[in-house]
Amino acid sequence: MTDKRRSIHGSWSSRLAFVLAATGSAVGLGNIWKFPYITGEHGGGAFVIVYLVCIAIIGIPIMMAEVMLGRRGRQSPINTMLTLAREAGADARWSWLGWSGVAAGFLILSYYSVIAGWALAYVFRAMSGTFSGATAEGVSSVFEQLTGDPERLLAWHTIFMVMTMMVVARGVRGGLEQAVRFLVPALFVLLLLLDGYAMASGAFDQGLKFLFTPDFTRIDANGVLIAMGHAFFTLSLGMGAIMVYGSYLPERASIAKTSIIIAVLDTVVALLAGMAIFPIVFANGLEPGAGPGLIFQTLPIAFGHMTGGLVFGTLFFVLLVFAAWTSSISLIEPAVAWLVENRGVTRVHASMYAGITAWAFGLLSILSFNRWADFKPLSFIPIFADATVFKLLDYLTANIMLPLGGLCIAIFSVWVMKRDDSLQELDIGDGAGYRLWYTLVRYVTPVAVIIVFLNVTGLVDFSGLLGLAE
Ligand code: PFF
């Protein structure tokens, strides 16, 4: 264990605090909003299987690698990579990995905050009884009214971004640790309640079948990339968020155990969300492939018909906002830490600069849902035929930048860094556990990421081999 370096930003109060913060970063809109709708768009069961396999063989090992690098470098990802590259006698340009992570963080936060703004707006809709007795059409029109109005979206996006900047400005321990302590258990309880409702909805079997019966002819190469990209996105990997959180991790704490706990919690939340949503989709004759509006057009129907729906609905959207909040702060933390380290600005100023930058990019996503809804800049590429600017941003970050970042993290951790150093930092002994990690990160992750990329670009075609749709 290297405790020779100390983070100038402080540290978590305990290992539990780190688990909570990293879980807070992982569990977010990705689990409750994104996972169900992309599963719906890519045919269900087969997509879920690919996603689960990616979590197990890529996600967990990369998470361990990121935490390990962060704790060893004890600085922002940019400076951590610089320090560790020097230590390994490697090229200083490894710090570019930190820069691409900062860029990905800004881009993700820019649209993340817009969607979190929808959740904020829905807190008030739910509270005022908008959904009582609502039909599928009624709920859809509420959603369309909101997303069709750029001014309203801008207002909610702004509020959410200010909330994010406020927490980041307060630093590592202030407020954040407490929020997650309550959030994760409460979210579980509410999702279970929704699952209970879904069970009674009459289409629970159909929903489960859709989620868990794999049909590989319904997923194509692009779907596989999206499932893999989502594994990175949902675990907050490939851009330095977990690395920077790892840099605040106090001395002895098992990186392996911690990573597994976080990945399991994150996956359970996603599956519970899927199990709540799809039965409602089928019971109401809705489309599983409805896109980003899916949860906003399904769950309100459930709230509108269950006893206590007003309270539960409000609570659900409040929790969704919290889940998004504990994730959004981790998206700009790498940039903020770097600004404090290299530009000598205070955390308050650094949070403002970073937040305002992401806020400005957010305008692109806001317009994608209304004025620019028909603007498809890359429509000449078949897989982007229907992609708005929002979709492209999401695709670029989640499916390209994060897996590429993960690939570089993998290469650095086991090809560049000395084996003794990772062995010492991971501190799990030189047994089967370490060797499994080493093999997964050394071979499996790079090969998997490269194959999936090549397959999508069409340079190599494994689809037939895997029985995927063409
Ligand atoms: N993991 C978050 C979610 O699933 O909502 C999103 C996210 C947070 C992605 C932080 C990347 C990141 F660095």
Side-chain angles (χ1 to χ4, degrees):
M1 192 87 25
T2 31
D3 235 15
K4 43 185 197 275
R5 294 192 194 98
R6 269 177 194 289
S7 170
I8 62 165
H9 309 284
S11 71
W12 305 113
S13 55
S14 62
R15 179 179 89 109
L16 178 66
F18 168 76
V19 173
L20 291 171
T23 308
S25 168
V27 175
L29 295 175
N31 307 62
I32 300 167
W33 160 74
K34 193 174 177 191
F35 171 73
Y37 96 74
I38 55 177
T39 300
E41 284 179 338
H42 295 279
F47 182 89
V48 175
I49 299 273
V50 176
Y51 156 78
L52 292 175
V53 169
C54 289
I55 294 277
I57 66 169
I58 303 178
I60 294 174
I62 293 294
M63 180 174 281
M64 289 172 61
E66 265 202 47
V67 178
M68 186 258 308
L69 297 177
R71 186 165 70 177
R72 200 169 175 84
R74 292 246 183 250
Q75 299 155 76
S76 65
I78 297 172
N79 290 324
T80 284
M81 290 311 298
L82 195 62
T83 306
L84 297 184
R86 289 206 181 114
E87 195 173 88
D91 200 302
R93 277 175 293 186
W94 276 103
S95 65
W96 291 1
L97 178 54
W99 286 108
S100 90
V102 165
F106 280 130
L107 294 178
I108 295 175
L109 181 57
S110 78
Y111 67 80
Y112 204 83
S113 163
V114 173
I115 311 294
W118 298 358
L120 265 177
Y122 267 57
V123 170
F124 296 93
R125 305 266 183 302
M127 205 157 59
S128 59
T130 309
F131 303 128
S132 338
T135 57
E137 296 80 56
V139 168
S140 282
S141 91
V142 171
F143 178 72
E144 275 150 26
Q145 263 172 28
L146 172 70
T147 51
D149 182 346
E151 283 87 14
R152 238 190 279 180
L153 292 186
L154 181 64
W156 292 116
H157 164 59
T158 309
I159 294 172
F160 185 78
M161 197 61 88
V162 170
M163 287 165 54
T164 301
M165 292 191 278
M166 274 166 40
V167 176
V168 178
R170 297 185 57 180
V172 171
R173 289 195 193 181
L176 165 67
E177 288 186 16
Q178 262 57 34
V180 199
R181 216 173 278 266
F182 147 85
L183 162 82
V184 179
L187 202 59
F188 265 104
V189 173
L190 254 137
L191 282 174
L192 284 173
L193 181 90
L194 278 170
D195 285 322
Y197 176 84
M199 249 176 236
S201 73
F204 195 62
D205 290 351
Q206 205 183 342
L208 283 198
K209 202 164 154 242
F210 180 77
L211 259 183
F212 296 114
T213 313
D215 173 359
F216 282 92
T217 59
R218 296 183 64 184
I219 184 168
D220 58 7
N222 189 39
V224 172
L225 173 62
I226 293 174
M228 182 180 77
H230 189 63
F232 282 96
F233 184 88
T234 193
L235 293 178
S236 307
L237 299 176
M239 59 143 284
I242 291 295
M243 197 187 291
V244 80
Y245 275 16
S247 76
Y248 308 142
L249 184 61
E251 17 62 65
R252 301 196 158 260
S254 162
I255 293 178
K257 242 190 273 162
T258 314
S259 303
I260 294 171
I261 294 174
I262 297 166
V264 169
L265 282 175
D266 185 76
T267 307
V268 171
V269 172
L271 294 177
L272 285 179
M275 285 160 57
I277 287 156
F278 288 109
I280 303 175
V281 168
F282 294 119
N284 291 281
L286 300 167
E287 235 340 285
L294 188 65
I295 66 158
F296 294 94
Q297 290 166 302
T298 49
L299 295 184
I301 304 176
F303 295 129
H305 291 93
M306 61 167 75
T307 357
L310 197 86
V311 176
F312 292 134
T314 309
L315 205 59
F316 175 82
F317 287 109
V318 168
L319 287 173
L320 187 59
V321 169
F322 269 97
W325 200 4
T326 53
S327 300
S328 64
I329 53 181
S330 69
L331 282 161
I332 45 172
E333 182 63 25
V336 168
W338 181 82
L339 283 168
V340 173
E341 287 162 11
N342 286 49
R343 289 285 172 264
V345 294
T346 60
R347 269 195 84 86
V348 175
H349 284 132
S351 315
M352 278 171 50
Y353 302 147
I356 291 171
T357 309
W359 175 85
F361 277 116
L363 303 179
L364 300 173
S365 293
I366 289 181
L367 292 171
S368 302
F369 293 102
N370 35 72
R371 306 244 162 95
W372 293 356
D374 295 321
F375 176 44
K376 316 272 163 72
L378 297 184
S379 57
F380 53 91
I381 304 172
I383 53 172
F384 298 131
D386 255 339
T388 57
V389 177
F390 156 77
K391 275 242 154 141
L392 291 174
L393 273 175
D394 176 38
Y395 195 94
L396 169 72
T397 50
N399 306 329
I400 300 174
M401 295 178 85
L402 300 186
L404 272 183
L407 175 65
C408 294
I409 288 166
I411 293 174
F412 187 86
S413 310
V414 292
W415 292 92
V416 176
M417 198 166 161
K418 292 193 191 73
R419 189 173 184 278
D420 280 350
D421 289 346
S422 64
L423 190 61
Q424 182 198 35
E425 196 62 47
L426 281 175
D427 201 23
I428 41 175
D430 196 358
Y434 177 79
R435 271 182 244 146
L436 176 64
W437 173 81
Y438 196 80
T439 311
L440 288 174
V441 176
R442 195 169 171 93
Y443 305 107
V444 177
T445 303
V447 170
V449 172
I450 290 169
I451 288 184
V452 175
F453 273 139
L454 289 179
N455 212 11
V456 169
T457 55
L459 291 176
V460 180
D461 191 1
F462 294 98
S463 301
L465 203 68
L466 300 170
L468 306 180
E470 293 293 331

